[in-house]
Amino acid sequence: MDSEDGRRVLDPAQDGAALKALTHPLRLTLLGLLRQHGPATASELAARTGESSASTSYHLRVLAKYAFVTEAEHRDSRERRWKSVHDITSWSNEAMRRSPGGSTILHVLHRRQVEHLQRSLDRHEADLESGRLGQEWQEPAGVSDSMPRLTPESLAELWEVLQAKTDELVARDAGDPRAEQVVLFTAGLPLAPGPVAGPDSPTVPDPGRADAYAGPDATDAGVTDAGAPDAPAAGDAS
């Protein structure tokens, strides 16, 4: 289902094959690149990803089969350019977990997002070290791992507030030449009561840490759970 804000909401009961197609890492990367940088040919995307043109061409056709991408306006008759159909892809977690195989697909998509976080962190650090990013970005950038206690209603409200504020700031900075692409990862993962923390338990952050700050949001291909804020994807822009 498409909406007016450039979002495609997938129904796991009807769009299972489309969701499964998104679990391939290269397809997510290609979709993210098209959403971030605009139309491109299979050869241009191959150069960006280090894949062969034959591989990117095949995976673009798969994405087109499930209406994630479509042919863009060609600059000449010899090239075939592709563009993303939507800015955001989302779904209902509840509906996903009810559908056959939905939990597995959700698990894979979440792991793809975590992999993108690691690549984004590596790129961010390299951009700072090389001087491609100015030092003014060093202080506001960061990763937060705070663990507040919230009700389901409060967590849902937090997503709404984050999205509203992100939309407000994106609109405010739209014409500012200093604005850069910011990869914002947000996660709200409730944990059931468990055993006493051991050496393999997640680290609880020090409340006094000055660097526990999270900045804006995008995923490899703008895929998001329906309860989470969405933003146009940054893609794997390596």
Side-chain angles (χ1 to χ4, degrees), residues 151 168 232:
T151 64
E168 175 192 332

Side-chain angles (χ1 to χ4, degrees), residues 18-69:
L19 281 162
K20 188 174 181 180
L22 281 184
T23 61
H24 192 286
L26 180 55
R27 289 174 201 152
L28 272 179
T29 297
L30 296 175
L31 186 55
L33 288 170
L34 291 175
R35 286 177 172 175
Q36 182 186 10
H37 299 290
T41 65
S43 296
E44 291 168 344
L45 293 169
R48 279 187 171 274
T49 59
E51 299 286 336
S52 68
S53 296
S55 178
T56 55
S57 180
Y58 167 76
H59 289 293
L60 285 166
R61 291 196 301 272
V62 174
L63 289 170
K65 175 181 178 181
Y66 295 108
F68 291 111
V69 305

Side-chain angles (χ1 to χ4, degrees), residues 148 150-162 187-190 227-229:
L150 299 172
T151 64
E153 295 78 15
S154 293
L155 180 56
E157 181 180 342
L158 179 58
W159 285 124
E160 293 174 0
V161 170
L162 285 170
L189 306 173

Side-chain angles (χ1 to χ4, degrees), residues 53-126:
S53 296
S55 178
T56 55
S57 180
Y58 167 76
H59 289 293
L60 285 166
R61 291 196 301 272
V62 174
L63 289 170
K65 175 181 178 181
Y66 295 108
F68 291 111
V69 305
T70 189
E71 287 194 47
E73 183 177 348
H74 303 319
R75 291 184 296 210
D76 61 58
S77 59
R78 295 171 297 176
E79 68 174 10
R80 188 179 192 184
R81 299 181 67 76
W82 299 90
K83 66 179 181 180
S84 173
V85 177
H86 311 92
D87 297 325
I88 298 163
T89 305
S90 62
W91 56 80
S92 161
N93 279 340
E94 182 181 358
M96 183 77 90
R97 294 191 184 281
R98 286 200 312 263
S99 65
S103 292
T104 299
I105 292 174
L106 200 56
H107 174 84
V108 173
L109 288 172
H110 284 166
R111 292 307 176 275
R112 296 283 178 257
Q113 290 173 310
V114 171
E115 291 165 5
H116 179 47
L117 172 58
Q118 182 63 62
R119 291 194 299 272
S120 298
L121 177 60
D122 292 344
R123 164 113 183 239
H124 165 72
E125 292 175 344

